[in-house]
Amino acid sequence: KIDPKDPEAYFLFAQVEEKEHNWRNAFANYQRAVELAPDHKRAQMRLAKFYLEARMIEKVSEITEKVLTQDPGYVPAETLRIAVTAINGRLPEAAKQGEALHRIHPTDPDAALLLATLYLAQNRGAEAEVVLKKAREASPENMEVLDGLGTVYSRTGAVQKAEAIIKKMIELEPRIFDHRMKLVQFYDQHQEYGKAEAMLREALELDKDSEMRHLMLAEYLTRRGTAEQAEAALKEAQRQLPHATKIRFALGKFYEDRQQLPQARTVYEALRDGYKKEPAGLEAQVRLAALDWTLGHEEKAEGQLQEVLRENPRSMEGLLLQGKIALKRGSGK
């Protein structure tokens, strides 16, 4: 607000958005930084990485060539240029280029990550480990290097080392949810379900107001625990966050999936009555109409559905149910 044409502010804002996984906002802010400062190399590199993820190879090449013209040998641009070579099916050539770059910059994180990735693609896990361990010695708190090393350990079967790396990432950034989720997935993959659940509960303790964390715990308990545990988790979430409608809809869906329709109806009726013509109330009414249709109360179901569509003709849930009803009646068009 103080200086709306400050490219560095946009760049930093983009980094925050990227850390929060708000990809669209991150991309837009990196673009704005480059518009304001066409020679902003770091912003250009972040944009190029977005394009690489989307396999928009021409855009990646366009950016990297522009940066390398300005600054020959700039390591982040060189790594992206080599990555394009690999993606274009020339993996051995890319590996040789990666090795050459790494010899010149043996501790650079970008060069190390590129070469390790290329080695892994060639099933050369031991060599990838050596490269990343050297990069870690030079940058012990670089999260991308740590993440890459953890991936190498997982791929090569070094389970305890992989676990230690993820725990180190949590230690360095204790409030970043993704690190804890990585450990949850690690434990789940190795069938250590109790540890995975404990990590989800630990993450929830750090942010009890997070709907997402409550829902992820309940979902995990549904898959790996018991129905009773999952129901208890959802009810506790509802107690702690009484106005969180996603949690209440999740509880209703939980009951529906188990054919506990009276309990589901109670949840949806409370939402309908509490939120009336608001989006949550209308969605609850659609859920009630679906229950009535399932139970054979067709006239009642359609009456509720039409009431919703009068209030909101663009109700996604309402239109989907209307379509399903038409299909069941054989009215394809």
Side-chain angles (χ1 to χ4, degrees), residues 215-231 233-234 250 254 257-258:
L215 289 169
M216 291 185 82
L217 174 61
E219 182 187 349
Y220 191 78
L221 290 171
T222 301
R223 288 192 297 114
R224 300 302 192 195
T226 65
E228 291 76 14
Q229 288 176 311
E231 181 182 13
L234 285 167
F254 171 86
D257 291 343
R258 281 152 190 78

Side-chain angles (χ1 to χ4, degrees), residues 121-160:
Q122 295 179 312
N123 296 315
R124 297 161 66 181
E127 292 168 274
E129 180 184 347
V130 171
V131 168
L132 286 176
K133 283 173 75 175
K134 185 178 291 187
R136 185 188 178 188
E137 288 170 8
S139 306
E141 297 188 2
N142 185 298
M143 302 307 288
E144 289 184 328
V145 170
L146 285 171
D147 191 30
L149 188 55
T151 300
V152 170
Y153 286 143
S154 292
R155 290 276 293 274
T156 57
V159 176
Q160 292 181 333

Side-chain angles (χ1 to χ4, degrees), residues 107-254:
T107 59
D108 183 274
D110 286 317
L113 283 163
L114 169 76
L115 184 56
T117 302
L118 295 172
Y119 280 157
L120 274 182
Q122 295 179 312
N123 296 315
R124 297 161 66 181
E127 292 168 274
E129 180 184 347
V130 171
V131 168
L132 286 176
K133 283 173 75 175
K134 185 178 291 187
R136 185 188 178 188
E137 288 170 8
S139 306
E141 297 188 2
N142 185 298
M143 302 307 288
E144 289 184 328
V145 170
L146 285 171
D147 191 30
L149 188 55
T151 300
V152 170
Y153 286 143
S154 292
R155 290 276 293 274
T156 57
V159 176
Q160 292 181 333
K161 290 181 178 179
E163 180 183 7
I165 287 290
I166 303 171
K167 285 183 173 179
K168 183 63 178 178
M169 293 171 71
I170 294 171
E171 179 189 325
L172 291 171
E173 294 184 340
R175 300 196 69 83
I176 299 298
F177 183 60
D178 276 7
H179 303 333
R180 294 176 189 275
M181 276 309 300
K182 189 181 291 290
L183 193 53
V184 169
Q185 290 160 3
F186 174 86
Y187 286 141
D188 189 71
Q189 183 182 350
H190 293 90
Q191 299 182 354
E192 296 188 79
Y193 304 132
K195 287 185 177 181
E197 179 190 338
M199 182 53 56
L200 280 167
R201 291 188 183 279
E202 184 179 307
L204 179 57
E205 283 297 313
L206 291 172
D207 187 1
K208 290 185 177 180
D209 291 334
S210 169
E211 276 184 285
M212 178 190 70
R213 297 190 189 198
H214 280 286
L215 289 169
M216 291 185 82
L217 174 61
E219 182 187 349
Y220 191 78
L221 290 171
T222 301
R223 288 192 297 114
R224 300 302 192 195
T226 65
E228 291 76 14
Q229 288 176 311
E231 181 182 13
L234 285 167
K235 284 185 172 180
E236 176 59 19
Q238 184 177 316
R239 187 189 68 78
Q240 291 188 25
L241 302 175
H243 301 295
T245 57
K246 287 182 182 178
I247 289 170
R248 295 167 73 179
F249 276 114
L251 182 59
K253 181 69 164 56
F254 171 86

